[in-house]
Amino acid sequence: MLWLVNKFRDSAFGLPLCNGRFTVSLLRPRDLWQVAWLERQNFPEPLSFWKLLCLWLQPATTYLALKEGGRLAAYIGFQAYGPMAHTISMCVAPAYRRRGLGKFIQQAADQVAVRRGLRWFCGEVRVSNAAQLKMLSELGWQKVGVVPRFFANGEDAVFVLGWLEGRR
Ligand SMILES: CC(C)(COP(=O)(O)OP(=O)(O)OC[C@H]1O[C@@H](n2cnc3c(N)ncnc32)[C@H](O)[C@@H]1OP(=O)(O)O)[C@@H](O)C(=O)NCCC(=O)NCCS
């Protein structure tokens, strides 16, 4: 049951992290309603509240919330597979974009992944998602290759990877 306790134990991962009036901490189940809303507003293939809850409950999953007061400004979810962290999805609410918060929550996720003993981060990004590709490139991520027709609507994915080595 320690894995379940750890889903609420910010201090185990060096959280919360603060950036001005924004705070990153472990995402609580009650925040999943806001995550589901942001998924619906921002993704062609959104995750429902119930799917998000199933993911959140898995021991391998970490969700982080970036908040201003009680309001969810951004989130990121990832899963651990062996030495690898794999992004489920991340989103910054439209009103909060281009303020460095996408980078900030990804860096917080890197920190948590390192504390979980993980060695690299990876994910699949739509080829049309110039914003995410640019942000990750500025964080030092590499484009490994293109996966044809990865997404349900037939769009290709760029497989991207960010090393966590040397961050301990
Ligand atoms: C991609 C996303 C997470 C970026 O979040 P953000 O908080 O706006 O990103 P940052 O402010 O940290 O931006 C860092 C850099 O990324 C690049 N960038 C971010 N948004 C960009 C855009 N719309 N166009 C071009 N470059 C962009 C810029 O170089 C930016 O630096 P700058 O603002 O100094 O020019 C956000 O646009 C988003 O949530 N999009 C919808 C959901 C999504 O696509 N998620 C990723 C796939 S799971």
Side-chain angles (χ1 to χ4, degrees):
M1 290 301 274
L2 183 62
W3 66 268
L4 189 56
V5 174
N6 274 341
K7 285 186 178 285
F8 297 90
R9 221 158 56 99
D10 287 289
S11 60
F13 303 105
L15 302 172
L17 286 174
C18 295
N19 180 350
R21 55 187 193 281
F22 298 99
T23 304
V24 177
S25 51
L26 293 170
L27 189 139
R28 306 295 195 252
R30 63 174 179 271
D31 298 324
L32 290 174
W33 292 106
Q34 290 183 76
V35 173
W37 189 84
L38 283 174
E39 288 265 333
R40 282 198 301 279
Q41 302 299 314
N42 292 283
F43 294 118
E45 293 148 33
L47 296 168
S48 67
F49 170 82
W50 296 109
K51 178 67 185 164
L52 287 161
L53 185 59
C54 287
L55 285 166
W56 185 93
L57 281 168
Q58 292 175 24
T61 305
T62 302
Y63 267 96
L64 300 181
L66 188 157
K67 289 187 172 180
E68 183 185 37
R71 189 170 177 201
L72 188 73
Y75 66 87
I76 184 168
F78 67 90
Q79 289 190 302
Y81 295 99
M84 170 179 95
H86 179 258
T87 304
I88 303 168
S89 63
M90 71 173 289
C91 184
V92 177
Y96 291 98
R97 288 184 190 160
R98 302 306 286 267
R99 303 194 207 175
L101 296 179
K103 278 186 177 172
F104 182 54
I105 197 167
Q106 179 61 59
Q107 287 166 329
D110 291 355
Q111 173 181 306
V112 173
V114 167
R115 290 197 182 213
R116 289 192 63 155
L118 306 178
R119 302 177 67 185
W120 66 87
F121 229 111
C122 64
E124 298 82 19
V125 181
R126 288 176 186 274
V127 287
S128 62
N129 195 344
Q132 177 77 352
L133 290 169
K134 179 106 187 297
M135 186 192 82
L136 293 177
S137 146
E138 288 178 11
L139 288 172
W141 288 47
Q142 298 161 23
K143 293 181 186 172
V144 178
V146 173
V147 190
R149 299 174 301 284
F150 179 81
F151 292 100
N153 68 353
E155 185 168 357
D156 297 351
V158 182
F159 184 69
V160 287
L161 183 147
W163 294 109
L164 298 171
E165 296 291 302
R167 308 263 193 104
R168 266 165 246 280

